Structure formats: structure tokens, C-alpha cells
């Protein structure tokens, strides 16, 4: 099917909004689950890898953060440009195969340097997963369903992390950290084939109900367009700080419980797993669902809700990190993670909806570039540095409490930025296709 003409009104496509669209959503969500299992299992493996290679918390913060994130974000934009012009299905299938093979290879590393290099290639593979998926799903789901659909897709973060903790904890205790990489990497190779053979490539702007420019645009045009959208800038900045908190806390959550609460790895895996899975999926789904409901009346609510949720996270991260009673600390982690996940659906939906249809994969990559460099890169690394150089000399093993608290509070500042985004959101959505 040919792409619609520039000035032709794009009507809703029945195939793209039927049962098949939910199949695509389900399959891409499963892909994203394995993406995050492969990525998040590092949180469970920090201590055994650190002990085997004899490195510091700062080094492990680098390995679990920047070693992955820098190249993930560096190649994300050129891959997204490819996705805005070429076959998103092919790119996703290729990406899954690459990161899965490299995850298996992580278990074969003979030194810290080798492991860091391999994790870089895992990041390169994973860079081809999310931006094309966001763009593809935005052509299967109209605006009124988009926050919910992308929230469901984002379950991959929480289900993947939830599975990584118990699977990783069990494998580490019984077979060692290398086997953990083998076990979680291999299934992705089969998933890549399923994407290639069963996912259809829809026309660009397939479910848009207003006029939309669908011709190719240059990267410079995309950047100029984004720079002219005040709400886009504030969404990216707010999401970056929220991500700094989320990635920092989840990466160091397992070592924190081991060091300060003396929990075993199997206990940590089970506890963190079910909380991340249930609280994360519930938070991201309800956040997207409520945003779609309130946002249909007033678009500003797509960002007002994340602003409120970010602020409410602060007392719960304080309870999780500072309480000495293990049960009470874990109890505080539940609402912290629930609230911290609720912004994800509205964030992705608005990033996709604020730009024109041939800009979507690139816009997603730009969001992920900034969010992952600050969040997934600086979050774990900042806690590692604070552990080694600021709080460590004073508090010893207890230093991780205060390092995580500082990073968690920084995430609360996202509230201000999300609220600023809400002020211009409706206008920026209404004028998307002008000019």
C-alpha cells in the first residue's frame, strides 16, 4: 500500500485498529521484556562480578550504566533515522538477534574489560528495539488509545526487570553469574525470527485522523521542529530526572538489600521481582489509562499526572532507604515503584503525538538518547561514585542508603519540569501539522 499524499486526509485503518494490532503490541511487548531481562540482570550480578574481577563500586556503576548506555544512545539516532525511512520490522528483528547473541557472549568474558566491551555491543543491539517499535505501534493505535498501548508496551521494562531478579538470583546462587547470561540471552534469537515472519509493516500515519505530512524529513528539520515545541523539551528533561532516580534505585536495589538488610540473593530476587512486576506494570498501565481518560478532556493532564506522581515518590524513597526494619523498608518500595512507573505511558504517547509521522522513530531516539544518558548512565554511576568517595568513607556499607536517597530526591525535581510541559502541551499538539 502506498503512503498517503501530503495533503490527503488520513483516515483510520480498520486492520490496524483490530485484533492484529493487539497481536503486534503483544509480540513487541514480549520482545521488550527480553530486552530488559538482558539489560536488568546486571543488577543481580553486580556483587558476584565485582568479587570475581576485583573491581570497585564505581567500576560496576560504569559497567551497569555507561558501558551499555553510551553506545546505546550513540547509535540510537542513526538507527531511528533508518527506521523513519525503512522497514521497522527488519530493524527490530535484527536488533533482537544482535543483543541476544551478545548477552550469551557476556557469560564468556574472561576479564572486566572484555565484559565491558561485550556489554557495549548489547547496547548497540538494544538501540534498534524501542524507537522502531514506538513508531510502528503509533501506526497501529490512534491518539485516543496511544498512551494505553505504549503503557502496555512499556510493561516490558517491569516484567523484564521482575523476571531478571528471581531468575538471576536463582542462577547466581546455584550455577554462577555466567550461566545467568546464557539462560536469558538464548531465547531472544527465536523471538527475532517471530518478529520477521509475523509482523506487518503498516503505512506511515496509518491511524491518523487529521492531515499529516508523511514525506521524508532531514535530521536538521526534526531537530528544528522539536526545538520549537516547548512541551517536548520539558517532557524530555523531566523524564531524564525521573529516569535517573528509577535506574539508579533499581540497579543498586539488590546490593542495597544485601549490604544493609543482609538478605540472601534468592530472597532479594523473589522480593524485588514481584514488586517490580506487579507495582511497575500496575503503575505504568493505570498511569497511561488515567492519562488517556483525563487527557481526552484536557491534554494538559497528560503531563500534570506525571508531575504529581513524581512529587509523591519522595517520601517513599526516603522510607525505603532510611528505615532499618526490612519489612517496612520493602513496604515503602512498593508505592515508590508504582508511582515512579506511572509517567512512562504519557511520556511516550506525547513524544509520538507531538511530532509528525515521519519523525516518530527519530523523536523516540532523541528522547531515549537524553533519558538514557542521564538516567541509565548517570543514575547507577552516581550511586557508585557516592558510595566510594562521599558516603563510603563515613558510613561504610551503610553508605548506599544515602547515595540512593540523594538520587531518589533528584528524581522528585521532575515534578516541576512535567508541570511546565503541561502548560504548552495542548497548543503544541494542536499545531503539530501547521506549516
Amino acid at each position: 500500500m502506498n503512503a498517503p499524499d501530503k495533503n490527503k486526509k488520513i483516515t483510520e485503518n480498520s486492520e490496524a485498529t483490530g485484533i492484529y494490532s493487539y497481536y503486534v503490541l503483544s509480540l513487541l511487548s514480549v520482545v521488550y521484556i527480553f530486552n530488559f531481562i538482558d539489560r536488568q540482570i546486571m543488577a543481580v550480578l553486580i556483587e558476584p562480578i565485582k568479587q570475581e574481577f576485583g573491581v570497585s563500586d564505581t567500576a560496576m556503576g560504569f559497567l551497569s550504566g555507561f558501558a551499555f548506555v553510551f553506545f546505546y544512545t550513540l547509535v540510537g539516532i542513526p538507527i531511528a533515522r533508518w527506521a523513519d525511512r525503512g522497514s521497522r520490522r527488519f530493524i527490530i528483528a535484527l536488533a533482537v538477534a544482535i543483543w541476544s547473541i551478545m548477552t550469551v557472549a557476556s557469560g564468556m568474558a574472561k576479564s572486566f574489560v572484555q565484559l565491558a566491551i561485550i556489554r557495549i555491543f548489547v547496547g548497540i543491539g538494544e538501540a534498534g528495539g524501542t524507537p522502531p517499535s514506538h513508531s510502528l505501534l503509533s501506526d497501529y493505535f490512534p491518539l485516543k488509545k496511544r498512551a494505553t498501548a505504549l503503557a502496555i508496551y512499556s510493561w516490558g521494562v517491569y516484567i523484564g526487570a521482575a523476571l531478571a531478579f528471581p531468575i538471576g538470583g536463582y542462577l547466581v546462587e546455584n550455577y554462577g553469574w555466567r550461566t545467568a547470561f546464557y539462560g536469558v540471552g538464548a531465547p531472544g534469537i527465536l523471538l527475532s525470527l517471530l518478529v520477521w515472519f509475523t509482523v506487518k509493516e503498516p503505512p506511515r500515519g496509518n491511524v491518523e485522523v487529521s492531515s499529516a505530512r508523511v514525506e521524508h524529513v532531514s535530521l536538521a528539520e526534526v531537530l528544528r521542529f522539536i526545538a520549537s515545541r516547548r512541551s517536548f523539551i520539558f517532557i524530555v528533561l523531566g523524564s531524564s530526572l525521573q529516569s535517573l532516580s528509577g535506574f539508579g534505585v533499581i540497579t543498586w536495589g539488590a546490593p542495597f538489600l544485601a549490604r544493609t538488610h543482609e538478605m540472601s540473593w534468592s530472597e532479594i530476587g523473589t522480593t524485588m521481582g514481584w514488586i517490580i512486576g506487579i507495582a511497575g506494570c500496575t503503575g505504568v498501565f493505570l498511569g497511561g489509562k488515567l492519562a488517556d481518560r483525563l487527557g481526552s478532556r484536557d491534554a494538559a493532564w497528560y503531563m500534570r499526572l506525571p508531575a504529581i506522581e513524581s512529587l509523591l515518590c519522595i517520601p517513599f524513597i526516603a522510607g525505603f532507604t532510611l528505615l532499618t526494619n526490612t519489612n517496612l523498608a520493602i513496604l515503602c518500595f512498593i508505592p515508590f515503584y508504582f508511582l515512579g512507573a506511572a509517567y512512562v505511558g504519557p511520556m511516550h504517547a506525547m513524544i509520538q503525538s507531538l511530532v509528525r509521522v515521519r519523525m516518530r522513530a527519530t523523536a523516540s531516539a532523541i528522547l531515549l538518547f537524553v533519558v538514557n544518558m542521564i538516567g541509565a548512565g548517570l543514575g547507577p554511576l552516581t550511586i557508585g561514585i557516592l558510595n566510594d568517595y562521599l558516603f563510603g568513607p563515613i558510613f561504610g556499607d551503610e553508605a548506599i542508603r544515602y547515595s540512593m536517597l540523594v538520587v531518589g530526591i533528584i528524581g522528585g525535581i521532575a515534578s516541576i519540569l512535567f508541570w511546565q510541559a503541561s502548560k504548552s502541551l495542548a497548543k503544541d499538539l494542536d499545531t503539530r501539522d501547521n506549516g
Side-chain angles (χ1 to χ4, degrees):
M1 183 180 289
N2 295 325
D5 295 334
K6 174 178 176 180
N7 296 318
K8 184 178 179 181
K9 187 179 183 66
I10 304 173
T11 57
E12 193 167 303
N13 183 294
S14 59
E15 180 186 71
T17 55
I19 294 175
Y20 180 74
S21 64
Y22 288 96
Y23 167 76
V24 175
L25 174 60
S26 299
L27 178 58
L28 294 183
S29 297
V30 172
V31 168
Y32 202 30
I33 288 170
F34 276 87
N35 179 308
F36 253 80
I37 292 176
D38 293 357
R39 185 188 311 190
Q40 199 57 50
I41 199 164
M42 278 299 302
V44 187
L45 307 183
I46 283 178
E47 291 295 301
I49 292 174
K50 175 185 174 182
Q51 291 170 13
E52 178 167 334
F53 292 136
V55 295
S56 66
D57 277 356
T58 300
M60 292 308 301
F62 170 79
L63 179 65
S64 58
F66 266 105
F68 171 91
V69 168
F70 180 76
F71 286 90
Y72 174 89
T73 56
L74 186 67
V75 302
I77 292 177
I79 290 176
R81 297 296 299 153
W82 179 17
D84 274 334
R85 296 170 180 267
S87 170
R88 293 164 288 187
R89 176 190 65 172
F90 172 75
I91 295 169
I92 296 166
L94 178 64
V96 178
I98 291 173
W99 86 56
S100 300
I101 292 169
M102 289 298 104
T103 298
V104 172
S106 299
M108 304 175 186
K110 302 301 182 184
S111 69
F112 179 82
V113 173
Q114 284 183 15
L115 182 57
I117 292 171
I118 293 169
R119 295 305 289 176
I120 286 170
F121 282 98
V122 174
I124 290 172
E126 292 192 2
T130 301
S133 295
H134 283 175
S135 176
L136 201 65
L137 291 172
S138 293
D139 281 335
Y140 276 109
F141 292 91
L143 176 59
K144 64 183 179 181
K145 298 180 180 179
R146 196 168 291 156
T148 302
L150 291 177
I152 292 172
Y153 171 79
S154 298
W155 280 355
V157 175
Y158 308 100
I159 297 175
L163 292 174
F165 278 94
I167 291 172
Y170 173 79
L171 292 176
V172 165
E173 281 199 350
N174 293 279
Y175 302 101
W177 63 268
R178 296 179 186 276
T179 302
F181 280 127
Y182 302 149
V184 301
I189 299 171
L190 297 177
L191 268 180
S192 69
L193 297 175
L194 197 58
V195 170
W196 174 247
F197 286 110
T198 67
V199 171
K200 300 175 185 177
E201 182 78 20
R204 307 282 173 161
N206 196 36
V207 294
E208 298 299 321
V209 293
S210 61
S211 298
R213 295 171 58 189
V214 296
E215 74 274 12
H216 296 301
V217 292
S218 68
L219 178 59
E221 287 180 272
V222 177
L223 293 174
R224 282 195 297 270
F225 185 87
I226 287 171
S228 70
R229 294 305 187 262
R230 182 176 180 272
S231 56
F232 190 105
I233 302 301
F234 278 113
I235 291 171
V236 171
L237 293 176
S239 301
S240 298
L241 292 187
Q242 187 75 1
S243 180
L244 181 91
S245 170
F247 275 109
V249 171
I250 194 175
T251 299
W252 286 97
F256 164 71
L257 292 173
R259 294 179 190 181
T260 65
H261 294 278
E262 299 181 345
M263 294 175 65
S264 69
W265 288 112
S266 58
E267 288 176 323
I268 292 170
T270 302
T271 301
M272 294 289 283
W274 77 262
I275 293 175
I276 290 170
I278 296 175
C281 288
T282 305
V284 74
F285 178 75
L286 292 180
K289 196 73 174 177
L290 186 58
D292 274 338
R293 176 170 294 183
L294 296 178
S296 64
R297 305 169 190 168
D298 180 356
W301 277 106
Y302 277 108
M303 284 297 111
R304 286 176 187 160
L305 282 173
I308 295 168
E309 291 149 0
S310 297
L311 191 62
L312 292 175
C313 282
I314 294 178
F316 295 109
I317 187 61
F320 177 56
T321 55
L322 298 181
L323 289 172
T324 57
N325 182 285
T326 302
N327 291 331
L328 290 177
I330 291 172
L331 192 62
C332 286
F333 183 68
I334 297 172
F336 166 77
Y337 208 76
F338 172 88
L339 292 165
Y343 81 103
V344 173
M347 170 190 72
H348 287 310
M350 291 304 98
I351 290 299
Q352 293 296 292
S353 302
L354 281 165
V355 299
R356 294 167 182 163
V357 295
R358 284 284 184 179
M359 301 177 177
R360 283 175 172 164
T362 304
S364 179
I366 290 170
L367 167 74
L368 293 175
F369 180 90
V370 180
V371 166
N372 282 301
M373 286 296 289
I374 295 175
L378 282 180
L381 181 59
T382 300
I383 291 177
I385 291 172
L386 291 174
N387 287 345
D388 284 336
Y389 300 107
L390 181 59
F391 298 120
I394 304 171
F395 299 106
D397 284 345
E398 295 287 308
I400 195 170
R401 291 185 185 273
Y402 308 102
S403 302
M404 290 175 64
L405 177 60
V406 168
V407 169
I409 291 174
I410 290 173
I413 301 173
S415 176
I416 300 171
L417 299 170
F418 286 139
W419 196 267
Q420 288 298 315
S422 73
K423 294 181 179 179
S424 55
L425 185 59
K427 176 184 176 183
D428 288 344
L429 287 170
D430 288 342
T431 59
R432 186 193 74 175
D433 297 321
N434 292 353

